[in-house]
Amino acid sequence: MRNSLRRSTMQVVGLVIGGLYGLGILAMVMVGLVALGAQGPEAIGTVIVLAGSALFLGWLIIPVVASGLDMTLDPARFTTYSIPMKSLLAGLALSSFIGVPGAVTLLATVGTAAAWWQHPLSALVAVLCGALAALTCIVASRAITAASASLASSRKFKDFSGMVLLVPLILLGPIITGVTAGIQDLQEYLPSLANTLSWTPLGAVWAVPAEVAAGHWVLAGAKLVIALAAVAALTLIWKICLAKALVTPAYAGSSRRSAGHMGFFKLFAATPTGAVAARSMTYWFRDPRYGTGLIMAPLLPLVFVFAGSQAAGTGSLGITLGLGGVLAAFLIVWSISSDISYDNTAFALHLAAGVSGTADRSGRALAAGTLGLLLGVLYAVVGAGIGGSWALLPATLGLTIGVVGSALGLASVFSSRFTMNAPLPGDSPMKSRPGNNFPAMLVQLAGFAGVGVLIVPELVLTIIALATHQPLFGWISLAVGVVLGGALLLAGIRMGAGQYNRRAPELLLAVSADR
């Protein structure tokens, strides 16, 4: 961590912001625990068991989805050192607490003692159990990460499983709403659920102070044994999987394929622009870093569609679907703002082949624009069909086309000027390398704001059309979207091509550094 903070001031700024955010969450948790202490032991135990089980599940799920998020502690970095397994396990476990998530988790779990301020003995037990719970969370996250790395010997299986796990996370809001709606009496259900969880590794350690407060020493001892057994079992699993991961190659070689399979190169013209477009389209369907975007883009708008239909009723479902398509299209097309960063050293092929800036910018925009436009139009048509509002279809189409053109144009400029610390080819789509992450985030936010300004004409016309139900404004929005979006796309490609031609060597150096 010290070395990473020395790399740039922005790393320190990012850590400070993360630390303040973590402290804010910790402060709210502590206030809630102190207030909870005014309740009876049963109520306190129910809340802590449920919250603690959710925390434990979070530490189990998030590392799998965002595997390799912390490259400093990546076990692959220790393969060349003769570190004894016991020392490696202890070092990785303890160093996991050096950082905002681990430190906040430790303080929060130990801080559960604040809820037992009316029961001093339970508070003392809660401190010890909180430390054990934090260690359990860390060991569990390390164990499941090592297990997923060693079991997923197939790279395709690993990439597919990681992308599939994103689906329930993206749709977590609707899932929780549906589950909550199916529970008729929470006052009866939650204590029963907490009692069940208290006999499992998820909630056993959290239930020990409550049993002590109730004077159930035998039950407290039994649940403590379950918690200790869970830590021992998870440590054993981690040790076995880590030992296997340290001697197993991260990626297996690809199988041979017969000649003649041109893929997307058959669909695009035999020109430099067509070749770049075919290469980009191939990445969209074969590179998990792009594949994750193809999954998130159509699913993420459904969350907002669900929220909109809950707030305004099912009668607005058609309109929210159409507007959701605008967001889906934007998520696809804006991704080319980091295209060169994703290329990494493969970007040298463009320089070696003498690909012009115009061909590079146009080819990447053609591939992303095709996918984004198809997805946006599909959403708009389905929304019009469900809502029976075919007269307003031109309005949503105009906004969609305007967003696609404007975002592609601005992204073509941004990607030829700025680079980011993107995951390396073959890495997890969620992996983040140390570096200029905070400045890159500011650049992305500036890009979002820029696109928002560029689509103001289409946005205003679309809102007027939807609010007044006047198709004329929808047709005007469609015309403006085609003309203005097309003009901004051409202008962005031209500006981006000029920057590309001037800065291509610097771009290659930037994306090749710290490999």
Side-chain angles (χ1 to χ4, degrees), residues 72-95:
T72 307
L73 299 178
D74 188 353
R77 290 177 175 257
F78 300 95
T79 54
T80 56
Y81 301 98
S82 301
I83 301 177
M85 183 56 66
K86 290 184 179 179
S87 300
L88 184 58
L89 289 175
L92 289 175
L94 294 177
S95 59

Side-chain angles (χ1 to χ4, degrees), residues 371-434:
L371 294 174
L373 200 58
L374 286 175
L375 186 58
V377 171
L378 177 63
Y379 260 89
V381 172
V382 172
I386 293 178
S389 54
W390 293 103
L392 299 177
L393 178 60
T396 54
L397 288 178
L399 183 58
T400 301
I401 295 173
V403 166
V404 170
S406 302
L408 283 176
L410 190 60
S412 298
V413 177
F414 270 51
S415 66
S416 61
R417 179 62 184 84
F418 304 103
T419 58
M420 57 182 289
N421 282 332
L424 295 176
D427 281 343
S428 166
M430 299 298 177
K431 180 173 285 187
S432 176
R433 295 188 294 154

Side-chain angles (χ1 to χ4, degrees), residues 311-343:
T314 56
S316 63
L317 183 59
I319 295 176
T320 53
L321 271 175
L323 297 178
V326 177
L327 175 60
F330 171 76
L331 293 176
I332 292 289
V333 298
W334 182 254
S335 63
I336 70 169
S337 64
S338 55
D339 239 13
I340 293 180
S341 300
Y342 278 121
D343 280 356

